[in-house]
Amino acid sequence: MTTESLSLAHAAGRVAGDGISDAEWQARVDLAACYRLVAERGWGDLIYTHISLAVPGEPGRFLINPFGLMFDEVTASNLVKIDLAGNIVGDTPFEVNATGFVIHGAVHAARDDAQCVMHLHNEAAIAVAMQKDGLLPLSQHALRFYGDLGYHRYEGLALTESEKARLIENLGQRKAMLLSNHGSLVTGRTVAEAFCIMDMLDKACRMQLLAQASGAELIFPTPEVCELTFRQLTADPLPEGEREWPALLRRLDRLCPDYKH
């Protein structure tokens, strides 16, 4: 693809849908809630970046935000359903973003456990992703990612099939990845898990930047303590975010209940 022909809107086909099941509607509500929570935290980047969620009972299909809407405009009903070939499923006036399809489609196709995929341009994560050593084991939040954080070198806009393969290889079976000079990517078995992992990653990055800005000598835990803390933080068999999600939704219901529409 040449720069002259570059279009960020994905030129996809359209296929008929089978209506919206109760399970899909609940998935839509949860995903719309996630977009609003991301907007509330200031992690958005105008109309760019994405959160996607596999459609229950429809293998190879996932929901993603309409291209052209801010995150605080996303609702359950305006999310777009697409398949792994990039075709839009069902009736919608919206398009999807090309880089969203490439990155999210690749992860969904490669990882059955990655039901939810979140890719953001959150500033703290980008700042840490600019650093040669990446995320350092400085805070308890950062230790959640000890040995569970991949890195992907920047190659320009993620639009090529060859980069998809490298991105998936660099992610491996990890829950999170920093895209050098670009942003963050997390996966979750649920929307709640993806959101809460991103929340912890963003805080870990912010804490690192604050500590580095102080100019003081930094204290690093021993590798043994880092490994122990990671095991402790990930020992719960429940998906991360399972306990936090109802409280987050209650807050959202007070602030902007229209996400459910």
Side-chain angles (χ1 to χ4, degrees):
M1 180 179 294
T2 65
T3 54
E4 289 79 6
S5 64
L6 178 63
S7 173
L8 292 179
H10 181 60
R14 292 179 182 253
V15 299
D18 300 321
I20 297 177
S21 66
D22 290 344
E24 180 184 335
W25 182 254
Q26 184 58 55
R28 285 174 171 269
V29 170
D30 283 336
L31 184 56
C34 193
Y35 274 101
R36 297 301 185 92
L37 289 166
V38 167
E40 184 196 8
R41 278 159 175 71
W43 295 342
D45 184 10
L46 298 178
I47 62 171
Y48 303 100
T49 73
H50 317 278
I51 314 161
S52 59
L53 179 63
V55 179
E58 298 187 30
R61 292 178 175 179
F62 58 95
L63 302 166
I64 200 165
N65 52 317
F67 192 32
L69 298 189
M70 300 281 282
F71 279 16
D72 61 3
E73 296 179 290
V74 173
T75 66
S77 59
N78 65 30
L79 287 161
V80 181
K81 186 192 301 189
I82 62 176
D83 63 22
L84 294 176
N87 297 306
I88 292 175
V89 180
D91 185 27
T92 177
F94 297 106
E95 297 177 305
V96 295
N97 180 268
T99 57
F101 162 69
V102 171
I103 293 174
H104 290 251
V107 178
H108 281 292
R111 292 268 301 272
D112 289 339
D113 66 310
Q115 294 294 295
C116 184
V117 180
M118 183 184 297
H119 165 48
L120 300 179
H121 296 163
N122 41 337
E123 295 168 2
I126 295 174
V128 170
M130 294 174 184
Q131 299 183 14
K132 182 179 179 180
D133 293 328
L135 185 66
L136 302 173
L138 290 168
S139 66
Q140 182 168 278
H141 286 67
L143 296 182
R144 159 61 187 84
F145 302 97
Y146 192 77
D148 192 30
L149 184 67
Y151 291 88
H152 178 68
R153 290 187 65 84
Y154 188 63
E155 301 184 26
L157 298 186
L159 294 170
T160 65
E161 289 295 319
S162 60
E163 184 172 2
K164 282 170 58 174
R166 288 186 290 275
L167 187 147
I168 292 302
E169 181 180 0
N170 291 331
L171 177 62
Q173 294 302 308
R174 303 176 186 91
K175 289 285 190 184
M177 182 162 69
L178 288 178
L179 310 177
S180 298
N181 314 99
H182 179 182
S184 56
L185 187 148
V186 305
T187 70
R189 292 166 286 179
T190 65
V191 172
E193 183 167 62
F195 178 81
C196 287
I197 290 174
M198 181 64 80
D199 183 69
M200 188 163 290
L201 179 60
D202 186 77
K203 287 173 180 173
C205 291
R206 290 186 182 280
M207 291 171 189
Q208 176 170 320
L209 295 171
L210 286 169
Q212 290 171 325
S214 74
E217 184 176 356
L218 302 177
I219 300 171
F220 286 80
T222 66
E224 293 77 16
V225 169
C226 292
E227 292 170 4
L228 171 63
T229 307
F230 171 75
R231 291 196 303 270
Q232 291 172 329
L233 290 172
T234 58
D236 194 330
L238 284 176
E240 293 171 66
E242 190 85 359
R243 296 179 176 87
E244 296 91 335
W245 193 243
L248 289 165
L249 292 184
R250 289 193 298 271
R251 173 174 172 75
L252 204 58
D253 287 343
R254 294 192 298 270
L255 295 174
C256 53
D258 64 307
Y259 75 91
K260 297 178 179 179
H261 298 169

